[in-house]
RNA sequence: GGUUGAGUAGCUCAGUUGGAUAGAGCAACAGCCUUCUAAGCUGUGGGUCAAGGGUUCGAAUCCCUUCUCAAUCACCA
């Protein structure tokens, strides 16, 4: 039983004794006492007034006196208005620290074979353009979410759906065929995804030229010109050939997709993310079509005179939704139906989570309803982990207007800046170690910058101001870790033995017990982050912890402390802070360096 | 127009499910390195929590109205 639970029980017992009624345990909240008041834990007594029929101060005093008698760890209490501040004994805090030290995975749970299986889809790139800042947010959130779910004792399958077919892919294929002169990643030295992306842009440029020309020469309006431009017609023909499995088109498709996958692979590796199972839309869209046709036969969907298939969702307060075009080809929704079916066939999934931007809210609302109507019992329970857009000072990112922040460029930039920042301090180190530290810090700054923000919100990214390395940042937390490592190294050099567990009595200071209290709350934070799907909670916790440690570090000597008992205590405390920082950062997918 | 989300310091963001005098960082200014890593620590200034009403011991938080912004409501994915 934790101290909080013990006190909660005591409050219930005290209320019963004093007022003859038992308050609801769920309604009893203990919070850390604000630092301007004396005490460690605070209980707000206002809810008890209905049963006590006394003033807040009197009620708090009565309860406080009872608690002090019942709970040995409570040494004293004070009352301010309706707030009952409880002081916890020093020895209790040392015990708490010992319990943290005894558990290498403190705050995290381990999954067993019976644990529920969660499947998390994230990343979900198109194969016609390189990853940009928006994808980075998606990838980081997805990876961190998986880490957090695992830390809550769940089994997790990380999955990715690659959008590898459709008209947009044909556009870059066509442009490469027409203008590429046989260029390859090898011949140009370009990453495959960038090379293919360039041809996607090229298609758009040439296409727009043709549209403009048609409007001028044949006096067409824009819509008609867009439909009649030779390039788009040829791309459509290519898509038809692809669907008919034309060997030449398929070979080109495979070649270019492989270039892109190699490029994505590099970016993923650098970002530190991975997948357990990858799905490709080219392999699931036929299932989706089959399922839609099945729904059509059962009368769940209906066909219009032109041959297109629709779902009527007006009774659910939504509109009608297209599922198959008149020519029989599939749309986004069709593919997602097929993909979902395959996944639930492949795995015994208890929860399916889609990490996809909030622009898709409507899509997932519809998907859930459609799957439910198609008879999948899990359809209703799909979770769309919806996150906000990344905005630039000029507004939204647009590939065609060149206002995207490329993922690879961004990482290069961050690592370069980190290297400049650390070059003075790391003069004595081997170049490879300097590079590795710059990589860890640069990526740490980027990842933390993105993950500390509430996922739901749109976030602002200003490339000119770039990302900070001071203050509430990844490197700040990494620095705190490296600092502790340095102290522990020096302790080892001096031959000081740091025990696994403390015994004895220690006169610890307020700042030290606060730090222990901070450490102790890690488990609660991990749990909350798991329930809320919120890496931001972990990020903010890690910052608070690092800040609290730095204040402690500034005010107290560790190795220079003359009292050996206290020196040992502070070393253990430091070691445990480092452990929890490393664990929390791991949940965010951020590495921590031992020196920087 | 409908739906969903958001609006907190000059800027970027927190705010533990309704608790004490609304907090950090950046930017500005002023201090702290012969002593365990100054990517650190301390201090100063900066707020009508979009506006108005309601619920109650107590509201940035819950409810209603209004305003502003974003996304979406496509035979694009």
């Amino acid at each position: 039983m934790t101290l909080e639970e013990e006190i909660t029980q005591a409050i219930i017992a005290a209320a019963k004794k004093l007022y003859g009624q038992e308050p609801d345990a769920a309604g009893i909240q203990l919070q850390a006492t604000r630092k301007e008041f004396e005490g460690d834990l605070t209980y707000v007594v206002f809810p008890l007034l209905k049963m006590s029929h006394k003033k807040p101060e009197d009620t708090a005093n009565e309860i406080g006196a009872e608690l002090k008698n019942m709970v040995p760890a409570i040494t004293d209490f004070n009352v301010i208005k309706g707030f009952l501040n409880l002081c916890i004994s020093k020895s209790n805090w040392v015990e708490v620290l010992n319990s943290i030290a005894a558990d290498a995975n403190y705050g995290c749970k381990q999954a067993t074979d019976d644990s529920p299986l969660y499947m998390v889809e994230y990343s979900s790139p198109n194969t016609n353009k390189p990853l940009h800042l928006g994808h980075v947010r998606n990838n980081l959130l997805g990876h961190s979410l998986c880490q957090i779910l695992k830390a809550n004792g769940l089994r997790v399958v990380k999955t990715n759906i690659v959008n590898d077919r459709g008209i947009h892919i044909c556009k870059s294929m066509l442009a490469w065929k027409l203008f590429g002169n046989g260029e390859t990643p090898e011949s140009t030295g370009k990453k495959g995804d960038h090379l293919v992306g360039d041809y996607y842009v090229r298609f758009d440029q040439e296409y727009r030229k043709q549209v403009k020309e048609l409007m001028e020469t044949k006096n067409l309006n824009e819509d008609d010109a867009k439909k009649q431009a030779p390039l788009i017609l040829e791309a459509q023909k290519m898509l038809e050939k692809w669907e008919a499995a034309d060997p030449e088109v398929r070979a080109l498709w495979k070649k270019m997709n492989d270039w892109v996958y190699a490029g994505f692979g590099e970016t993923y590796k650098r970002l530190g993310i991975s997948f357990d199972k990858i799905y490709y839309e080219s392999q699931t869209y036929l299932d989706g079509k089959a399922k839609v046709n099945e729904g059509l036969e059962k009368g769940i969907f209906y066909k219009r005179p032109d041959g297109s298939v629709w779902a009527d969702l007006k009774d659910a307060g939504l509109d009608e939704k297209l599922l198959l075009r008149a020519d029989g080809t599939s749309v986004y929704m069709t593919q997602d139906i097929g993909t979902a079916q395959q996944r639930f066939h492949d795995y015994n999934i208890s929860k399916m989570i889609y990490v996809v931007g909030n622009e898709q809210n409507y899509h997932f609302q519809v998907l859930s309803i459609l799957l439910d109507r198609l008879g999948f019992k899990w359809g209703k329970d799909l979770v769309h982990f919806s996150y906000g857009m990344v905005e630039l000072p000029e507004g939204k990112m647009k590939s065609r207007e060149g206002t995207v922040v490329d993922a690879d460029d961004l990482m290069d930039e961050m690592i370069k800046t980190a290297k400049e920042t650390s070059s003075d301090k790391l003069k004595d180190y081997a170049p490879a170690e300097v590079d590795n530290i710059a990589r860890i810090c640069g990526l740490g700054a980027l990842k933390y910058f993105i993950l500390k923000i509430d996922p739901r919100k749109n976030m602002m990214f200003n490339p000119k101001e770039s990302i900070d390395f001071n203050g509430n940042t990844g490197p700040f937390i990494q620095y705190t870790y490296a600092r502790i490592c340095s102290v522990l190294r020096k302790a080892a050099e001096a031959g000081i033995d740091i025990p696994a567990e403390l015994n004895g009595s220690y006169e610890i200071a307020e700042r030290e017990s606060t730090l222990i209290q901070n450490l102790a709350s890690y488990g609660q934070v991990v749990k909350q982050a798991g329930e809320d799907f919120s890496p931001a909670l972990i990020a903010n916790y890690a910052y608070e912890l690092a800040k609290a440690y730095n204040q402690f570090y500034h005010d107290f000597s560790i190795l220079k402390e003359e009292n050996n008992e206290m020196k040992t205590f502070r070393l253990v405390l430091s070691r445990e802070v480092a452990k929890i920082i490393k664990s929390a950062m791991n949940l965010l997918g951020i590495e921590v360096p031992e020196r920087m």
Side-chain angles (χ1 to χ4, degrees), chain A residues 5 54 70 93 104 179 188 201 410 423 435 479 482 537 552:
Chain A
E5 285 162 354
K54 290 179 182 169
M70 284 190 272
W93 289 122
F179 314 112
T188 56
V201 172
L410 181 58
S423 58
D435 285 347
Y479 179 77
L537 284 178
F552 156 79

Side-chain angles (χ1 to χ4, degrees), chain A residues 60 138 213 244 416 511 534 563 575:
Chain A
N138 178 303
E213 205 180 307
K416 197 179 129 212
R511 183 152 276 173
S534 178
N563 179 327
R575 183 188 67 201

Side-chain angles (χ1 to χ4, degrees), chain A residues 484-496 559-560 571:
Chain A
I484 296 172
C485 288
S486 173
V487 172
L488 297 178
R489 268 196 307 274
K490 292 236 158 80
E493 282 164 18
I496 299 169
L559 293 171
K560 299 214 156 50
L571 282 166

Side-chain angles (χ1 to χ4, degrees), chain A residues 121 124 138 321 332-333 336 354-367 384-387 389:
Chain A
E121 173 197 299
S124 315
N138 178 303
K321 187 78 189 173
Y332 183 30
M333 187 60 76
D336 257 5
Y354 294 87
V355 180
V356 181
N358 61 13
E359 55 196 348
Q360 307 284 356
N361 286 354
Y362 183 75
H363 173 80
F364 282 99
Q365 203 183 345
V366 172
L367 179 65
H384 175 203
F385 175 27
S386 163
Y387 63 89
M389 301 286 99

Side-chain angles (χ1 to χ4, degrees), chain A residues 3 107 117 207 272 298 343 357-358 403:
Chain A
L3 181 63
L117 180 75
Y207 175 47
K298 286 184 186 161
R343 284 170 171 164
N358 61 13
T403 55

Side-chain angles (χ1 to χ4, degrees), chain A residues 125-129 131 160-165 169 185 191-194 196 242 253-269 278-283:
Chain A
N126 287 348
T127 55
N128 60 343
K129 49 192 165 200
L131 304 175
N160 190 356
I161 176 80
V162 181
N163 182 3
D164 61 345
R165 60 165 294 282
I169 312 291
K191 267 181 89 216
D193 49 338
H194 285 91
V196 172
W242 184 92
W253 173 73
K254 185 171 184 316
K255 178 163 79 176
M256 291 181 71
N257 271 351
D258 284 346
W259 292 347
V260 174
Y261 297 148
F264 283 171
E266 275 181 51
T267 307
Y268 285 150
K269 192 176 171 200
I278 297 178
Y279 288 89
Y280 298 89
E281 285 193 352
S282 59
Q283 290 165 21

